[in-house]
């Protein structure tokens, strides 16, 4: 294959909020940036997230998804950042610690880009029906929440009339509202856990439209001839095991799967980037650099975030990391302090702290608790919180002086007050 | 006499207080569970006149995208939502469309505007 050779300081893979923020910031730092996205348009999933709730922290204004991404796309245009859409990255090569190669194709041809640093911001993929143990007929009318959202809010096509939604996370709840607003009958939201997965403001949607929520329930089977006709629901016990005898059927023509997201890291695992099983994303230091020097990650390919504001923040931090990496020929730190997960911490990012800079810790708890203290015993830091929930990501700032107090590790734990 | 108890989670701040409102014959008798006056005020409005910002998409002619996303600039009474959705389903606009462009002023006589939230280029 004849490919065109290009040369850049930074290649940003993924044109969603993390990639856009990273590309804009890197360009503002004076770096030569190339942005790649495989979709037909920039913005990632934001152009289809037509509901408000974006940008409250970043822009101090409540925007819809399309408005949020529009502001960044305007910056991309103003700064004349080079980008390709419909660009499929085939391979990333770690040529040396200071040189990487990104191979991609687009309608314009095949390209090989030599670059000093890569910011990987490919977002997440949705979990499918088979991943959550639903068996039965392979029929029309089964969509992930994101697929249904693309159909309705980009193409203006209604996926169905009588809907069962599997999963009560924010995405599932927002789709419940969208369907109800469009006049579809949302017959139920089915949630495996004993508590709703979404933020309180989104759980309110169920009351707005009188949609029944089945907690501690799961869909186990789907039946239909050409299209979905009914789904079988069962109650589960506290160990999430199905309870025989509790099954019932719900008639519907559409099943929407909103069972969570998984960081998209496909191209990274091949070149030896270490993955954290708790987040599903790479292990990173406090500049969001992976275990392969010069490769940075941000957004939902790093960890699943609740707020786009944090995603953009991570994109900008990765851009700063790329700048330091290029200026210094690597990210210097004599020793890295490991962030350890203590009581009731399911995941925490970044994994390694330098003590040379302030850092935001993004973390999630395993189970809800009230009146707790977030404790960092090695550095004598305590933060009181009225409540912690798995659905709400914690974002905690540690100052460099605090981090520097630790020897080789800092434990983060949630304890009862 | 009808006594109804409404339970909801306050969404004004991250504390997410669980508020309970007791309504007797359409009148609020008791509000419990809030931690601050803002939450109390919100709970009262939720009972007496709940309002929401509405968002949808509208068909676009000659655009690089088949629809444009829109929103109301102000929350509108919940009871008016179905009527507004029906109106939005019936209209069609012509590309190009800019973010913030007004599509409808005071639809159904409501004190709000319908504005575009996505850019659609003409093709
Ligand atoms: S009642 Fe006050 S403190 Fe409680 S969630 Fe509402 S605004 Fe926050």
């Amino acid at each position: 294959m004849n490919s065109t050779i290009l040369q850049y300081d930074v290649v940003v893979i993924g044109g969603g909020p993390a990639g856009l923020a990273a590309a804009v910031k890197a360009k503002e730092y004076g770096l030569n940036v190339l942005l790649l996205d495989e979709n037909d348009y920039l913005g990632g999933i934001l152009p289809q997230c037509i509901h408000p709730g974006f940008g409250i922290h970043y822009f101090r204004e409540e925007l819809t998804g399309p408005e949020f991404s529009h502001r960044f796309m305007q910056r991309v245009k103003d700064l004349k950042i080079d980008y390709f859409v419909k660009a499929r990255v085939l391979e990333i090569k770690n040529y040396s610690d200071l040189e990487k190669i990104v191979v991609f194709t687009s309608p314009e041809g095949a390209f090989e880009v030599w670059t000093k640093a890569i910011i990987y911001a490919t977002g997440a993929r949705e979990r499918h029906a088979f991943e959550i143990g639903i068996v039965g007929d392979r029929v029309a009318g089964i969509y992930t929440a994101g697929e249904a959202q693309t159909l309705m809010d980009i193409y203006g096509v209604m996926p169905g009339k009588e809907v069962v939604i599997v999963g009560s996370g924010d995405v599932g709840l927002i789709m419940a509202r969208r369907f109800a607003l469009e006049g579809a009958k949302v017959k139920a939201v089915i949630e495996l856990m004993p508590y709703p997965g979404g933020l309180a403001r989104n759980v309110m949607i169920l009351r707005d439209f009188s949609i029944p929520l089945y907690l501690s329930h799961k869909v186990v089977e789907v039946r239909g001839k050409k299209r979905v006709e009914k789904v079988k629901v069962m109650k589960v016990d506290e160990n999430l095991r199905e309870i025989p005898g509790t099954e019932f059927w719900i008639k519907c023509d559409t099943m929407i799967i909103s069972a969570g997201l998984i960081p998209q890291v496909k191209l990274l695992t091949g070149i030896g980037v270490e993955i954290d099983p708790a987040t599903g994303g790479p292990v990173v230091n406090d500049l969001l650099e992976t275990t392969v020097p010069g490769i940075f990650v941000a957004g939902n390919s790093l960890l699943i975030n609740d707020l786009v504001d944090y995603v953009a923040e991570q994109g900008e931090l990765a851009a700063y990391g790329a700048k330091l990496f290029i200026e210094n020929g690597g990210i210097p730190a004599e020793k890295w302090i490991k962030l350890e997960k203590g009581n009731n911490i399911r995941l925490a990012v970044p994994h390694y702290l330098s003590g040379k800079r302030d850092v935001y810790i993004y973390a999630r708890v395993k189970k809800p608790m009230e009146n707790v203290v977030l404790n960092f015993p090695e550095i004598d830091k305590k933060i009181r919180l009225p409540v912690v929930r798995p659905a709400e990501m914690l974002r905690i700032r540690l100052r460099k002086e605090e981090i520097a107090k630790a020897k080789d590790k800092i434990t983060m734990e949630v304890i009862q007050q | 006499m009808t006594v109804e108890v409404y339970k909801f989670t306050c969404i004004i701040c991250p504390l997410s207080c669980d508020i309970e409102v007791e309504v007797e014959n359409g009148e609020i008798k008791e509000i419990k569970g809030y931690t601050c006056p803002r939450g109390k005020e919100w709970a009262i409005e939720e009972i007496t006149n709940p309002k929401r910002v509405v968002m949808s998409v509208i068909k676009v002619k000659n655009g690089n995208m088949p629809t444009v996303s829109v929103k109301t600039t102000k929350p509108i009474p919940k009871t008016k939502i179905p009527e507004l959705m029906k109106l939005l389903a019936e209209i069609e606009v012509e590309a190009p469309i800019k973010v913030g462009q007004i599509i409808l002023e005071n639809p159904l006589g409501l004190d709000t505007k319908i504005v575009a939230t996505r850019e659609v280029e003409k093709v």
Side-chain angles (χ1 to χ4, degrees), chain A residues 56-58 60 303-314 316-317 339 345 347-350 358-365 374 376 381 383-385 387-389 391-398 412, chain B residues 14:
Chain A
I56 298 153
H57 299 267
Y58 193 91
R60 306 207 172 275
L303 84 166
I304 304 305
N305 289 271
D306 310 339
L307 293 180
V308 72
D309 307 81
Y310 300 165
V311 165
E313 174 178 280
Q314 290 156 17
E316 293 184 345
L317 177 60
L339 182 68
I345 297 292
L347 58 87
V349 167
D358 298 356
V359 63
Y360 282 115
I361 309 285
Y362 306 98
R364 274 186 207 280
V365 297
L374 208 55
F376 298 87
K381 187 177 172 91
I383 300 165
R384 275 169 217 287
L385 293 173
V387 62
V388 290
R389 304 178 223 264
E392 281 163 52
M393 194 163 84
L394 299 167
R395 174 171 165 274
I396 307 295
R397 187 188 173 94
L398 295 184
M412 178 177 190

Side-chain angles (χ1 to χ4, degrees), chain A residues 10 26 29 31 117 296 318-329 331:
Chain A
V10 187
Y29 286 133
L31 300 173
F296 298 80
Y320 179 67
K323 168 187 134 84
L324 283 190
F325 179 87
I326 291 166
E327 282 172 359
N328 300 297
I331 299 295

Side-chain angles (χ1 to χ4, degrees), chain B residues 10-17 19 33-40:
Chain B
C10 181
I11 54 164
I12 304 296
C13 90
L15 212 55
S16 306
C17 299
I19 304 185
Y34 60 90
T35 315
C36 76
R38 283 200 302 158
K40 184 180 177 182

